[in-house]
Amino acid sequence: MRVDLSGSTSRQGLPSDPVTRATPWFGGHTRAAGVGEPDAHPRTVASVESRTALPLSASPVDAKARASREPSHTLPLSASLADAMPLASLEPSSTLSLSTSPADAGARASRVSEAGFSAMNPGVSTQAPSRDAAPHAGAVGGWGISTWTPAPSPLGNARFTHAVQLSPVASGQEVLGPGSRGEGIRAVQSALLEMGFAVHGGADGQFGPQTVRALRNFQVHASRTLPGVKVTGALDAATLKALDSLAPAPGARGQSRGIPPAVYEGQPVRVIVALREHRTFLYDAEGRLVDIFPNASGTQATPTRAGLKVVRSRLDQAAAEAAGARLWNDKHVFGTRILDLSWADGRHSAEELHGTNAPALLGMDVSHGCIRHSNEAIIVLHDALSAGDRVAIVEHVNDPHLGAVAPVPVS
C-alpha cells in the first residue's frame, strides 16, 4: 500500500483377485476363471466320457449290467480307492474321470512330463519359485501371469522419492492439476512452503487455487534458468524435476541453489524483493541467506516500483495500528509492523514493507504499491533490519543489476 508516513497488503498390471485368477495347470493348458465363475480346477481334471449316459430312471441293476458290457476304463462311483489306483496307472489318457479321487489327480499331474509342459507353455516356468527367492517381474506365485513392478523413482530429493503418486508425473505419463489429492501433492506443497511460496492453509494434500498460484510463482522463478519449465499452474514433469532440483532437503528451509546474490550494482543489500515470483529474500550482514518469505505486491494500476531503496524508519505494532486507523480506518490493515522505505538517493518512495490482515492474498498483485507479508514474516524482517539498510526491488531474481559492479561515474 503506497502511503506517505512522513507526517500523516495407478496400481497398474494385475486386476484385483476376484476379477481374473490363475488356475493350476492340468492337461496341457492354463485357464483363467472369470468373475462369478466357479474355479476352473474341476473342469480341467474332469473329462467328458465317450459313452452314452444312462437315464435318471434306470435301475441299479441296469446300470451294473451296462457297466459290465462296456470296455471303458472309467470306474463306477461305487468303486473303491484301491480299484481306482491301478487303473489310473494304466490309462494313456491325459484326463481323469469324475469318479477318481483328488489324490489320483495329484498323482496324475506329477507324471506330466516337463518337456510336454514347456512345449505347450513356452513362456511359463515349470519350476516353483523358492520360498527365499525374490519374485521377479512377470511372475505371480509361479503361475506366469504378468505383474507390475514399480520402477525406481527418477527423483533424487528425499522429499519426493517415497511419494508413489509423483512417479508417473516425473516420467511424463501424468500431469496433476486442480482436484488432485494425495501424499504427492502434500509433498509438493510442503516444498513450496519451505521455499517461501505462499500456500495459504498449509500442506493439506489437496490441489486447489492456492496450490495453482504457488506453482505458477515457482514456475516464474524456475523458467528464468530452466527453459523447459512453463508457467501453467499445473504439476508436469518439467516442473516436478525443477522442484526436485531446487527444493531444500527435508527439514530445511530456503533453496538448494539459484539464490540471488545480496548485491545490487556493487552495493550490499539486506533484502531482495522479487516481484514476479512474489518472494522476499532476507540476508544477514555478511550476505548469507537467512530466510525467504511470500509477499504480495502492487497491482498493474498501482505497481511496486523496482530499484534500490533503503529503510527510512521502523514502526512497531502500536505505530502500525495507529497508522492504519488514521489512513484507512482499519488498525489491522498494515499488520503488526511497518518498514518505511525511501529511494537510495533520499527521495521518498511512499512504499513500505508491512504485514497484512488478508494473508490469503499473498502471492498476488493486490496492493497499492507496498509489499505485504504475513505478520510473522514482517516481525522477523522488522527485527533484522535497521534504518539505512538497503532493499533491492527487482522483477526477477536474474535481474542484471543483482551482483553487478557499481557503474563508473562520469567525470
Side-chain angles (χ1 to χ4, degrees):
M1 188 174 298
R2 185 178 293 121
V3 297
D4 188 353
L5 297 177
S6 58
S8 62
T9 318
S10 33
R11 169 180 165 97
Q12 299 178 3
L14 286 178
S16 59
D17 194 54
V19 177
T20 302
R21 57 185 179 274
T23 57
W25 182 89
F26 289 110
H29 67 280
T30 302
R31 69 184 304 276
V35 176
E37 187 177 330
D39 212 71
H41 178 91
R43 299 187 183 189
T44 311
V45 174
S47 64
V48 178
E49 300 297 334
S50 57
R51 59 189 177 88
T52 306
L54 291 177
L56 293 175
S57 61
S59 68
V61 175
D62 294 332
K64 186 174 182 180
R66 177 67 170 271
S68 66
R69 293 195 300 272
E70 291 186 352
S72 171
H73 295 302
T74 305
L75 293 179
L77 292 173
S78 59
S80 68
L81 179 61
D83 296 330
M85 291 180 65
L87 180 58
S89 65
L90 298 174
E91 288 181 345
S93 170
S94 61
T95 59
L96 297 179
S97 67
L98 284 171
S99 58
T100 56
S101 69
D104 299 321
R108 181 64 167 276
S110 68
R111 291 194 297 273
V112 176
S113 70
E114 182 173 334
F117 185 92
S118 300
M120 295 182 183
N121 300 273
V124 183
S125 171
T126 60
Q127 183 176 358
S130 167
R131 182 178 297 272
D132 296 330
H136 60 278
V140 176
W143 295 117
I145 295 181
S146 296
T147 183
W148 175 71
T149 301
S153 174
L155 303 173
N157 194 312
R159 289 179 175 273
F160 309 119
T161 52
H162 298 296
V164 177
Q165 184 184 24
L166 299 179
S167 292
V169 178
S171 62
Q173 298 175 359
E174 291 183 13
V175 174
L176 300 182
S180 300
R181 61 181 61 196
E183 288 306 308
I185 301 300
R186 191 188 306 275
V188 167
Q189 292 170 326
S190 177
L192 290 169
L193 285 166
E194 301 290 6
M195 297 176 72
F197 293 98
V199 184
H200 185 67
D204 58 5
Q206 301 187 43
F207 203 129
Q210 290 283 342
T211 304
V212 172
R213 183 188 307 161
L215 274 176
R216 288 184 64 89
N217 287 332
F218 170 75
Q219 289 164 338
V220 167
H221 169 77
S223 64
R224 307 302 295 183
T225 55
L226 301 170
V229 176
K230 307 301 180 185
V231 183
T232 64
L235 183 64
D236 54 18
T239 300
L240 180 56
K241 291 176 181 177
L243 266 173
D244 185 62
S245 172
L246 298 177
R253 283 186 58 82
Q255 193 165 308
S256 63
R257 59 187 181 88
I259 301 295
V263 177
Y264 186 95
E265 292 186 341
Q267 301 184 67
V269 299
R270 293 293 310 278
V271 171
I272 294 177
V273 175
L275 297 174
R276 299 284 65 83
E277 62 190 62
H278 296 100
R279 289 198 295 173
T280 296
F281 298 78
L282 172 64
Y283 302 86
D284 63 16
E286 284 72 42
R288 294 183 294 257
L289 181 69
V290 174
D291 210 339
I292 312 175
F293 308 107
N295 67 45
S297 55
T299 66
Q300 186 173 2
T302 57
T304 304
R305 291 168 292 186
L308 184 63
K309 304 179 184 183
V310 297
V311 176
R312 187 173 70 166
S313 61
R314 303 161 63 249
L315 283 69
D316 61 14
Q317 184 168 350
E321 290 179 351
R326 183 177 75 252
L327 297 171
W328 296 97
N329 199 31
D330 180 356
K331 70 176 186 177
H332 300 298
V333 69
F334 292 122
T336 56
R337 301 287 191 277
I338 297 176
L339 293 166
D340 191 28
L341 303 178
S342 65
W343 291 98
D345 61 6
R347 291 175 294 131
H348 186 57
S349 69
E351 294 171 344
E352 301 88 30
L353 308 179
H354 62 72
T356 184
N357 60 352
L361 298 181
L362 294 175
M364 302 176 67
D365 297 327
V366 292
S367 80
H368 291 81
C370 292
I371 301 101
R372 303 178 186 176
H373 299 83
S374 71
N375 289 332
E376 296 78 10
I378 196 61
I379 290 174
V380 174
L381 290 165
H382 175 275
D383 292 349
L385 301 178
S386 302
D389 284 339
R390 298 179 184 87
V391 176
I393 300 179
V394 296
E395 296 292 325
H396 299 281
V397 293
N398 62 344
D399 185 285
H401 296 90
L402 294 177
V405 296
V408 178
V410 177
S411 57

